Amino acid sequence: MNIPFNKLCLEGGEIDNVLDTIRSGKIGGDGKYNQLCQEEIAQTLGTKQVFLTTSGSSALELAAIMYNIGPGDEVIVPSFTFVSTVNAFCIRGAKPVFVDIRPDTFNMDETLIEKKITGNTKAIVPVHYGGVACEMDPINALARQYGLRVIEDAALAFLSTYRGRQAGTLGDVGCYSFHETKAIVAGEGGAIAVNRVEDVERVEILREKGTNRAAFLRGDVEKYVWVNVGSSFLPSEMIGAFLYGQWRARERILSKRKAIFDNYTRLFQPLIDNGTVRGPVIPGPCAINYCQYHLLVKNEETRNRLLAFLRGHRVQAVFHYVPLHGSPYAQKKKWGKRLPVTDDVAARILRLPFYNSLTPEEQETVAGLVYRFFGESKKP
Ligand SMILES: *Cc1c(COP(=O)(O)O)cnc(C)c1O
């Protein structure tokens, strides 16, 4: 049996919607399905407006441009994240200031942020790791106190909540990804939740290539013209059509993923209880979207041997982020400081196969191999 890490699982509507779009003859951006997605997602999330983007990365870039973050500015970010979180700001000349993570959730440690704030700090960028929201109340309080923007990287946290509110709607803007490895997918694609009404027009102009085309389409102006800088961030209708199929099936998708997550927890509970491994930690204020399941083992050597053992039995488990502060680029720019928790977690974490159609039998195979590995590694 070959158990991949990820697998595309269709819910039905995706193919119908994509065919419908092609047959309609309108495959450009912001047609029927993109608009349906934007309207329904904004309403469900409870935010001012949602715009689809070509990726989670481009949603983050849009946020950086929106708030004029550039040379001389600093943004406070975790190092335990995907490169796009930081690239979005560095590509515009800003400097990332890395903050260590909490040992339980692997989210940025909110108690370490204030020390990193300088006169140049423009924004805090919380990344909701594994779909678990950061401690947003203290982060927002700091942002208010120091006049900073909060740009949530909610790429992994679409439909996760914090104190009953949707991840991505807790700061100024939230960035989501529908990359094929996330919980709700469209191949590529992303979205930005604009949580302040005064920012909506700015985003409309930025993603319409710097024109007031959105106002023109509403009939607010007679012709549309170049009013500011901008670019093209909107995906084609094919992405919106596929995404709308997933969106309409979101409750089914999340309940399948919850069952898989809970089953992994049940299978690993004895190993968790005897301290051999640690599973995901979900603090009280957080409800997750079940985007992944990970284990933390005792050291890097064990993690790497376990990964190799699983792969040897055709189970595709994977590690996660290679910390950014130690990467060649960050080292060259002298942005790297020691971050003990980040380095420790990155060395010991592994993620197990996780997709909507993963069967209980496949999960037993994965768990059985993990048990066998630890049984065998105890032998002299
Ligand atoms: C996936 C991911 C991104 C990037 O999203 P894309 O849609 O692949 O561009 C950004 N940040 C985090 C934390 C991610 O997991």
Side-chain angles (χ1 to χ4, degrees), residues 55-57 60 81-82 84-85 127 153 155-156 177 179 182 189 321:
S55 64
S57 306
L60 287 158
T81 185
F82 191 58
S84 295
T85 313
V127 177
D153 181 342
L156 288 171
S177 168
H179 185 259
K182 315 296 187 193
Y321 306 125

Side-chain angles (χ1 to χ4, degrees), residues 70-371:
D73 295 334
E74 295 175 0
V75 291
I76 298 177
V77 289
S79 165
F80 189 64
T81 185
F82 191 58
V83 283
S84 295
T85 313
V86 174
N87 264 332
F89 303 95
C90 295
I91 203 168
R92 302 189 32 85
K95 176 184 164 189
V97 175
F98 293 115
V99 63
D100 211 351
I101 53 175
R102 291 165 45 137
D104 57 350
T105 58
F106 316 150
N107 281 332
M108 65 171 19
D109 186 336
E110 64 280 357
T111 65
L112 301 177
I113 295 171
E114 191 165 17
K115 283 194 286 245
K116 304 276 179 181
I117 297 173
T118 72
N120 296 325
T121 307
K122 269 280 189 81
I124 304 172
V125 187
V127 177
H128 305 310
Y129 182 73
V132 178
C134 295
E135 260 307 325
M136 291 304 292
D137 283 348
I139 292 173
N140 282 331
L142 275 176
R144 260 194 309 277
Q145 187 184 340
Y146 290 93
L148 309 176
R149 294 293 180 181
V150 175
I151 298 167
E152 296 177 70
D153 181 342
L156 288 171
F158 186 62
L159 299 175
S160 292
T161 60
Y162 172 78
R163 300 195 190 284
R165 290 168 60 205
Q166 293 283 335
T169 69
L170 305 157
D172 293 288
V173 288
C175 303
Y176 303 105
S177 168
F178 304 115
H179 185 259
E180 64 175 353
T181 53
K182 315 296 187 193
I184 302 284
V185 300
E188 299 284 346
I192 188 164
V194 181
N195 303 324
R196 308 208 179 286
V197 72
E198 62 271 25
D199 287 335
V200 170
E201 195 187 341
R202 173 102 172 111
V203 181
E204 279 179 348
I205 291 169
L206 274 171
R207 81 190 266 285
E208 283 289 7
K209 301 93 182 166
T211 73
N212 56 353
R213 184 162 179 269
F216 168 75
L217 292 176
R218 279 195 301 267
D220 297 351
V221 292
E222 269 176 40
K223 54 182 187 250
Y224 72 90
V225 291
W226 187 24
V227 292
N228 205 328
V229 294
S231 189
S232 182
F233 291 96
L234 63 166
S236 97
E237 268 293 289
M238 316 281 246
I239 293 290
F242 193 101
L243 179 62
Y244 193 62
Q246 289 263 305
W247 168 253
R248 295 305 295 234
R250 66 193 178 279
E251 277 165 23
R252 203 157 63 239
I253 293 172
L254 260 50
S255 80
K256 285 182 196 173
R257 297 182 75 94
K258 177 181 188 317
I260 294 165
F261 186 98
D262 291 346
N263 194 37
Y264 267 141
T265 302
R266 183 184 65 81
L267 289 166
F268 289 116
Q269 200 60 54
L271 287 184
I272 293 170
D273 290 342
N274 74 18
T276 307
V277 300
R278 216 191 79 191
V281 176
I282 300 140
C286 302
I288 59 171
N289 62 353
Y290 308 98
C291 68
Q292 68 175 38
Y293 193 90
H294 62 251
L295 293 176
L296 205 65
V297 300
K298 73 169 192 274
N299 57 35
E300 183 167 21
E301 191 254 342
T302 306
R303 193 270 308 268
N304 293 347
R305 277 198 300 119
L306 177 53
L307 281 179
F309 181 80
L310 292 171
R311 288 205 189 120
H313 291 85
R314 313 213 298 159
V315 168
Q316 305 303 319
V318 296
F319 55 84
H320 215 180
Y321 306 125
V322 179
L324 297 176
H325 70 283
S327 63
Y329 190 64
Q331 289 293 314
K332 189 177 110 191
K333 302 291 270 182
K334 302 205 184 329
W335 290 334
K337 296 245 173 63
R338 227 179 85 71
L339 299 173
V341 183
T342 297
D343 287 326
D344 177 52
V345 167
R348 296 196 287 132
I349 195 169
L350 77 157
R351 292 176 298 153
L352 298 177
F354 205 113
Y355 44 88
N356 308 348
S357 65
L358 187 69
T359 64
E361 294 72 35
E362 288 172 319
Q363 289 191 275
E364 305 236 342
T365 301
V366 174
L369 286 167
V370 173
Y371 276 83

